Amino acid sequence: MAMKSAASSTIRSLLSSSSSTFSRNLHAPAERKKIVGVFYKGGEYAKLNPNFVGCVEGALGIREWLESLGHQYIVTDDKEGPNSELDKHLHDAHIIISTPFHPAYVTAERIKKAKNLELLLTAGIGSDHVDLKAAAAAGLTVAEVTGSNVVSVAEDELLRILVLVRNFLPGYHQAVNGEWNVAGIAHRAYDLEGKTIGTVGAGRIGKLLLQRLKPFNCNLLYYDRLRMNPELEKEIGVKFEEELDAMLPKCDVIVINMPLTEQTRIAKCKKGVVIVNNARGAIMDTQAIADACTSGHVAGYGGDVWPVQPAPKDHPWRFMPNHAMTPHISGTTIDAQLRYAAGVKDMLDRHFRGEDFPEQNYIVKEGQLASQYR
């Protein structure tokens, strides 16, 4: 689709090497940094959209700027195993940039190898591909571009809810395969109106999703460690649930909007529930979800996050019935790419100058994990 983002020209100006915001220091920095970026390959699609900056070929649109400052910028999609391109550069890399969509798993072992490492940046939101405890112990800074793709993910969650509740995919496949069987679709297609929808987590994405669900006249619930402002609850028409286990059996649809921690693995849902998970695949028990979809206990499961990414070709979620799974795409729309690319550039610029990042971007700072990861 060649549709141009309304904000693209503004955000691209931030990425431009001539941007006044990032050209205040035109001389090479005192210390030359080696920066390794790990992104998915654009391949044949890389040249189809000049705003496609989130791939290897696009390199977040910051190569010219970094090299003009004297830094070395290595970009690759090769991230798995000791002989990967990423591992070849670990020993002298100062900064690693990765994305949740093609994550470079920065393990404790890799951190030990990276003697010069200072900074781990996530181009997007979600940094659990990093061993955060090991990063904190090593004195590294870990940060992400908070808020950069929250709209993108919230819209995607709404899409998947509708796809599953309306039983859209079987109808699509009938159209593609030359079939016509209305009963095969209608027997398990429902309206969204009147259904109870609960979000596990009501941070930036959860709030945006609830706001977008309001016009559908659903019964909206949320569970979170922090309660939102009562006025906002009233405006959205959502009820706070103090206990997760008490909320889950009430819901026709459950949406996961919490980061992956040891406390967020979900277990208890009622029969016939629809689950949408764009948070982290490992929150869910892989085989339990596949079995529940097969038995019908879960009426549909959708999301774009997998326990390991890219997902193996034989992953059971690929073959279970009534799923709406895709590769990890919800937060890497063109609009989101431009936002997180600009955010990464801003943080690099601040890092080179010895300045702090926006506080909400920190995941690990001065040996301390952000509260949501503790």
Side-chain angles (χ1 to χ4, degrees):
M1 182 168 59
M3 184 173 63
K4 184 177 180 181
S5 164
S8 65
S9 60
T10 301
I11 299 174
R12 281 193 66 80
S13 71
L14 290 174
L15 298 175
S16 168
S17 61
S18 62
S19 170
S20 60
T21 303
F22 299 107
S23 59
R24 290 172 290 174
N25 180 12
L26 297 177
H27 63 278
E31 183 182 359
R32 182 173 183 259
K33 303 290 186 183
K34 182 173 184 177
I35 299 142
V36 179
V38 181
F39 314 116
Y40 54 82
K41 270 189 177 178
E44 63 186 289
Y45 307 103
K47 296 182 179 180
L48 298 182
N49 189 334
N51 292 330
F52 188 14
V53 296
C55 58
V56 167
E57 295 85 346
L60 298 184
I62 58 176
R63 180 181 294 282
E64 183 178 345
W65 170 69
L66 285 172
E67 292 179 349
S68 74
L69 294 175
H71 301 300
Q72 183 182 10
Y73 188 31
I74 306 296
V75 179
T76 182
D77 72 319
D78 184 14
K79 63 189 180 71
E80 303 295 344
N83 297 318
S84 66
E85 195 70 16
L86 170 61
D87 275 61
K88 290 177 185 177
H89 294 284
L90 277 178
H91 69 283
D92 61 348
H94 297 93
I95 300 169
I96 297 175
I97 308 169
S98 187
T99 76
F101 320 108
H102 187 74
Y105 292 101
V106 184
T107 61
E109 182 182 359
R110 278 177 162 168
I111 288 172
K112 286 180 182 178
K113 292 179 182 177
K115 302 299 184 182
N116 294 340
L117 196 59
E118 307 165 354
L119 176 63
L120 296 165
L121 290 178
T122 298
I125 304 171
S127 298
D128 49 82
H129 55 279
V130 176
D131 186 324
L132 297 177
K133 291 181 180 179
L140 303 179
T141 297
V142 182
E144 57 189 39
V145 191
T146 298
S148 58
N149 54 18
V150 292
V151 169
S152 312
V153 177
E155 288 183 358
D156 186 275
E157 288 176 344
L158 179 56
L159 165 69
R160 290 176 202 266
I161 291 170
L162 288 167
V163 161
L164 290 167
V165 171
R166 297 303 298 261
N167 204 25
F168 171 83
L169 286 172
Y172 168 76
H173 290 305
Q174 284 188 24
V176 170
N177 296 328
E179 302 169 357
W180 193 278
N181 182 358
V182 174
I185 307 162
H187 78 285
R188 58 188 312 274
Y190 296 89
D191 295 339
L192 194 56
E193 184 176 50
K195 303 300 182 292
T196 297
I197 302 179
T199 174
V200 183
R204 292 176 177 87
I205 295 170
K207 286 188 181 75
L208 288 172
L209 174 65
L210 290 168
Q211 289 169 338
R212 282 154 176 74
L213 283 167
K214 181 180 178 180
F216 287 88
N217 297 320
C218 303
N219 178 29
L220 301 177
L221 308 176
Y222 79 98
Y223 167 81
D224 199 289
R225 60 192 179 88
L226 298 175
R227 186 169 183 173
M228 67 176 72
N229 186 299
E231 291 184 3
L232 183 57
E233 286 183 354
K234 184 177 180 181
E235 177 187 327
I236 297 174
V238 62
K239 179 185 175 184
F240 175 65
E241 293 282 334
E242 295 184 0
E243 298 293 335
L244 177 59
D245 285 348
M247 184 186 81
L248 294 180
K250 300 176 184 177
C251 296
D252 300 300
V253 178
I254 294 168
V255 186
I256 311 300
N257 278 308
M258 275 189 167
L260 173 60
T261 71
E262 293 176 359
Q263 286 76 41
T264 57
R265 297 179 189 271
I266 308 304
K268 190 183 298 183
C269 304
K270 76 177 185 180
K271 182 175 174 58
V273 70
V274 164
I275 300 174
V276 171
N277 176 17
N278 279 6
R280 288 295 171 262
I283 290 174
M284 313 303 290
D285 182 300
T286 296
Q287 194 58 51
I289 287 295
D291 292 344
C293 284
T294 301
S295 71
H297 188 85
V298 170
Y301 183 85
D304 68 335
V305 289
W306 305 70
V308 177
Q309 298 181 165
K313 291 184 178 180
D314 61 351
H315 195 282
W317 289 357
R318 293 181 183 270
F319 310 104
M320 62 189 182
N322 304 319
H323 78 77
M325 295 298 299
T326 66
H328 196 167
I329 56 169
S330 65
T332 189
T333 62
I334 295 298
D335 306 87
Q337 289 175 47
L338 293 171
R339 289 190 292 264
Y340 62 66
V344 165
K345 188 173 184 180
D346 175 66
M347 286 193 287
L348 287 173
D349 185 64
R350 290 171 186 257
H351 182 70
F352 298 152
R353 298 173 188 277
E355 299 174 0
D356 285 343
F357 302 157
E359 195 62 33
Q360 68 270 18
N361 287 9
Y362 284 106
I363 303 302
V364 176
K365 180 183 181 183
E366 298 175 350
Q368 297 295 316
L369 274 67
S371 59
Q372 68 267 33
Y373 284 94
R374 291 174 194 165

